[in-house]
Amino acid sequence: MNPSISGCGEPHPYTLEQLGWTEEHKEAFRKYPGPYIPGRVACRQKTVFEVFTGSGPVIAGISGALKKLGRFPAVGDFVVILNQPEAGSTTIVAILPQKTVFTRGATGREGTDQVIAANIDTIFIVTAAGPELNARRIERYLAIVHASGARPVIVINKSDLAEDPASLTGTIIPVSSGIPVIPVSAMSGEGMDLLDPYLEPGKTIVLIGSSGVGKSTLINRLLGEEMQKTSGIREDDGKGRHTTTVRQLFVLNSGALMIDNPGIREVGIGTASTGLSDAFPDIHELAKSCRFSDCRHEREPGCAVQEAVKAGKLSAARLENFHRLSRELAFEQDKAEIGLVRSERKRWKGIAKFGKEIQKARRE
């Protein structure tokens, strides 16, 4: 058994089925006979990956072909490994089709989205009682979660710190659009049983949220042991200290798989256009009654959305956030298109150079 890489958890062997392996994955893997084995990425450290296979964990790099394509496996990906023990080589050579992909907008000029995790069934959007309980931030998270194809669940941690824990959900329910909102205390265990319906064997859950909302404590409570380091609450602002530094996959006592994430300081919406409409279904439903089909819901006459705000049926702050995210989405999509053009130019330049090298080799 290979040792785990620094920063990742202590690995243990599981069957592929326990790791979420399905008939679809099995079918996709059929074209890789011989020395190839399948596995699921459990942790990543730069270009080195800890992969759970049916016969135990292995440490693997990735092939030069994947590097050239800029395709790096994410935690949760099912991958194809070329296993050559006689040469002391274990290499990821392919990534199997992804059922769902959770991404966020990445910084930089190219506008490419950053993959957070793959093959997810449910995403726990973790917030906490106190200053972190922010409806506008939840709307942003919901937009990118809906775009992933996974099911969102909003978890309000540290409910024991609130004077009236029952009132916590009242802040978030108006923006949740029917998404479950569950108050819990990972420290005391109160309300944790309400998460049980989402923790089915073989199902994968991802935790996302700002630094200090108690994701590591939540993981430890579900595991029944301290696998993730935790820190106390800062006295100056009541926030927890950020402790998780890498993404990694855990197998819970229930048989469910959970991926923890470092706290996200900036949540870019990326190119999550489908997620935006799902995060604001009330606005999109009202828009059907606008006089103009291309109404921007600003100052146009006959705007049903603005009328709903005036009538007190829609929060002005919610509409303002919808506009803000829509502008950000348009900007990110333009940036992504520009980045694609640059990428294509670079790719064709490389192909042309390779073609010249081939011609030269043929003449020699």
Side-chain angles (χ1 to χ4, degrees), residues 38 57 109 136 144 160 186 192 229 257 291:
R109 297 174 62 192
R136 305 286 78 84
I144 58 175
D160 54 315
M192 292 295 293
K229 292 181 180 179
L257 301 111
R291 183 183 301 176

Side-chain angles (χ1 to χ4, degrees), residues 157-158 186-187 207 211-223 225-234 239-245 248 250 260:
N157 193 21
K158 305 183 184 181
M187 187 65 70
L207 295 180
S211 299
V213 295
K215 298 190 302 298
S216 296
T217 306
L218 195 61
I219 284 272
N220 291 339
R221 170 66 66 172
L222 292 169
L223 284 168
E225 58 181 313
E226 186 166 348
M227 291 291 289
Q228 291 290 71
K229 292 181 180 179
T230 59
S231 297
I233 305 273
R234 293 196 299 257
K239 294 183 179 181
R241 297 181 180 91
H242 169 55
T243 51
T244 303
T245 56
Q248 71 184 93
F250 299 91
D260 193 9

Side-chain angles (χ1 to χ4, degrees), residues 346-360:
K346 187 176 180 180
R347 187 168 74 90
W348 283 111
K349 186 177 180 180
I351 290 172
K353 182 180 178 182
F354 187 53
K356 289 179 181 177
E357 290 174 358
I358 291 174
Q359 290 294 333
K360 182 179 178 182

Side-chain angles (χ1 to χ4, degrees), residues 292-347:
F292 304 108
S293 59
D294 59 348
C295 182
R296 293 179 299 177
H297 321 306
E298 293 176 345
R299 295 183 177 83
E300 296 88 348
C303 175
V305 176
Q306 287 289 352
E307 288 298 323
V309 171
K310 292 176 183 177
K313 296 178 181 179
L314 178 69
S315 163
R318 181 166 170 79
L319 178 58
E320 181 182 351
N321 201 36
F322 171 78
H323 284 313
R324 184 182 298 115
L325 294 179
S326 296
R327 288 192 294 269
E328 183 180 332
L329 177 62
F331 171 76
E332 292 294 339
Q333 288 176 330
D334 287 345
K335 193 168 71 170
E337 288 179 13
I338 293 170
L340 182 61
V341 170
R342 287 199 187 105
S343 176
E344 284 296 303
R345 277 197 203 127
K346 187 176 180 180
R347 187 168 74 90

Side-chain angles (χ1 to χ4, degrees), residues 31-48:
K31 61 180 180 180
Y32 298 98
Y36 298 100
I37 59 173
R40 192 171 195 190
V41 176
C43 187
R44 172 183 174 178
Q45 286 279 15
K46 295 184 179 178
T47 58
V48 181

Side-chain angles (χ1 to χ4, degrees), residues 100-142:
T100 56
V101 185
F102 175 58
T103 65
R104 66 163 176 159
T107 57
R109 297 174 62 192
E110 300 302 317
T112 54
D113 288 352
Q114 177 188 5
V115 177
I116 303 295
N119 299 305
I120 313 144
D121 296 288
T122 303
I123 297 178
F124 285 173
I125 301 172
V126 185
T127 183
E132 288 299 321
L133 197 60
N134 185 305
R136 305 286 78 84
R137 185 180 295 123
I138 293 296
E139 288 171 337
R140 177 178 288 269
Y141 274 122
L142 282 173

